[in-house]
Amino acid sequence: MPNETIRRGTATGLWILVLAAAYYGGGKLGLLEQVVVGGVRVTPLWPPTGIAVAGLLLLGLRVWPGIALGALLIIAGFGPLTLSSFGITAGNTLAPLAACWLLRRVGFRLELDRLGDGVALVFLGALTAMLISSGTACVVLLLDGALPGHEFWPVWSAWWTGDAMGVLVIAPLLLAGYAARLPRTRSTPPLRWVEAVVLLASTVVVTLVVTRSTLDLLFLVLPLVMWGALRFQLPGAAPCVLVVSVFAVPAATDQVGPFLGHGLLATMVILQALNGSAALTGLLLAAMITERNNTLRTIEQACAGLAELVAHLSPGEPGEPGEPDDDGAPRR
């Protein structure tokens, strides 16, 4: 028993470090594209929130110190740690914990194979839970004097959307990776792999073109996200949504293509409308298709079981129904 306790403690400690490293790495990537709102630097897409929520769902609540450690390491890169730093860290840690708790309360499934799972992740895991991190951070900055009072709501809205987009874009991708590890009864045909490669390449090309063109063609990415959801469900839709965000965020921060000539607020609205539409379309449509496929599979299995039962209960007569018996009467 002591050896088992030590082994579990060691495994938990390692997962905490892995989550902290992933959180820190995602934060560094997110900080590559940032904007200044009200004197505060915020990111249109904050990947660590999605990493934190997925990590808690997959590994359990016991790895929450990894979130706090990763957040502190990111904040420490801006200067010495202060009371405000620990306040922001607390908000960044509590928000994913609240998301995980809310999702578990409604019976969320990691496979995201039901429409209710997609809806829960959007409205509970992203939009509701991330109110904690954005609200805590803005209140702390306001009390510290780093945020002017009249800039509270613009900064809060930018912080909240960045955190929510991190959950909507990154968490489904990580959960799709988990679902891909589950055993499958059928092997994937080679043509499906070819289709997947064509889908991903098409998404890259189309997103690159529409985010650099001065024409308003951002809507052209949605059919590709729908293609991925319809044909490959979450493992197909999640990478497409990520590609859209990866190319759209730099275009918005550089104010090129369809973002050219707009103010900061309008640019953020256009960007988050694109990211949100792609994420919602892919996530909810993939969940619907997966749920439908599972229902059809269940019906097929039930029909096959019923046919076997009927064959087992019927008398084993050699003739076919309708053939005459020995006395000349037709068999019913």
Side-chain angles (χ1 to χ4, degrees):
M1 183 66 84
N3 292 335
E4 181 68 15
T5 302
I6 294 174
R7 186 184 67 83
R8 289 183 179 180
T10 302
T12 300
L14 290 176
W15 281 119
I16 288 174
L17 293 178
V18 169
L19 181 58
Y23 192 101
Y24 178 78
K28 285 298 185 182
L29 291 176
L31 290 173
L32 293 177
E33 301 294 338
Q34 52 185 304
V35 295
V36 179
V37 180
V40 178
R41 288 183 291 182
V42 296
T43 59
L45 175 67
W46 187 238
T49 55
I51 294 173
V53 171
L56 292 176
L57 290 172
L58 294 172
L59 303 174
L61 298 179
R62 66 183 186 277
V63 298
W64 69 266
I67 302 174
L69 178 59
L72 275 177
L73 291 175
I74 293 174
I75 296 174
F78 294 102
L81 296 177
T82 62
L83 288 178
S84 299
S85 304
F86 289 98
I88 295 174
T89 298
N92 290 345
T93 305
L94 290 175
L97 285 170
C100 186
W101 182 80
L102 289 172
L103 292 174
R104 288 185 173 182
R105 290 283 295 177
V106 298
F108 179 80
R109 294 174 51 148
L110 298 178
E111 296 83 2
L112 275 170
D113 55 359
R114 300 173 302 180
L115 177 60
D117 297 328
V119 172
L121 183 61
V122 172
F123 290 99
L124 296 181
L127 301 183
T128 300
M130 295 305 116
L131 292 172
I132 298 175
S133 56
S134 57
T136 302
C138 291
V139 169
V140 168
L141 292 174
L142 182 65
L143 295 177
D144 192 49
L147 175 63
H150 65 279
E151 295 287 354
F152 181 89
W153 292 113
V155 173
W156 172 84
S157 60
W159 199 302
W160 174 64
T161 52
D163 285 357
M165 286 300 106
V167 176
L168 292 179
V169 174
I170 303 300
L173 183 68
L174 298 178
L175 295 178
Y178 163 79
R181 296 176 61 251
L182 300 178
R184 300 183 181 274
T185 57
R186 300 177 182 177
S187 59
T188 304
L191 287 179
R192 292 276 287 177
W193 289 106
V194 174
E195 182 182 0
V197 172
V198 172
L199 169 63
L200 190 59
S202 301
T203 306
V204 171
V205 173
V206 171
T207 307
L208 183 61
V209 170
V210 300
T211 54
R212 298 292 167 175
S213 172
T214 55
L215 301 176
D216 292 329
L217 301 175
L218 294 174
F219 60 88
L220 291 180
V221 303
L222 294 180
L224 296 168
V225 175
M226 296 172 64
W227 177 11
L230 290 171
R231 293 290 293 162
F232 303 97
Q233 289 76 65
L234 189 61
C240 292
V241 173
L242 179 64
V243 168
V244 171
S245 297
V246 164
F247 286 103
V249 170
T253 54
D254 296 338
Q255 291 194 318
V256 298
F259 305 99
L260 180 64
H262 295 286
L264 179 60
L265 177 60
T267 298
M268 291 297 102
V269 169
I270 296 172
L271 174 64
Q272 302 303 7
L274 172 64
N275 286 338
S277 299
L280 289 175
T281 300
L283 181 59
L284 298 183
L285 185 58
M288 291 176 59
I289 297 301
T290 303
E291 186 174 22
R292 185 206 64 176
N293 292 343
N294 290 340
T295 302
L296 292 176
R297 191 176 300 112
T298 301
I299 294 175
E300 291 175 356
Q301 293 173 353
C303 291
L306 183 60
E308 292 179 1
L309 179 62
V310 171
H312 178 72
L313 295 177
S314 61
E317 299 183 57
E320 294 295 332
E323 293 183 2
D325 286 324
D326 294 337
D327 58 359
R331 180 182 294 113
R332 293 184 180 272

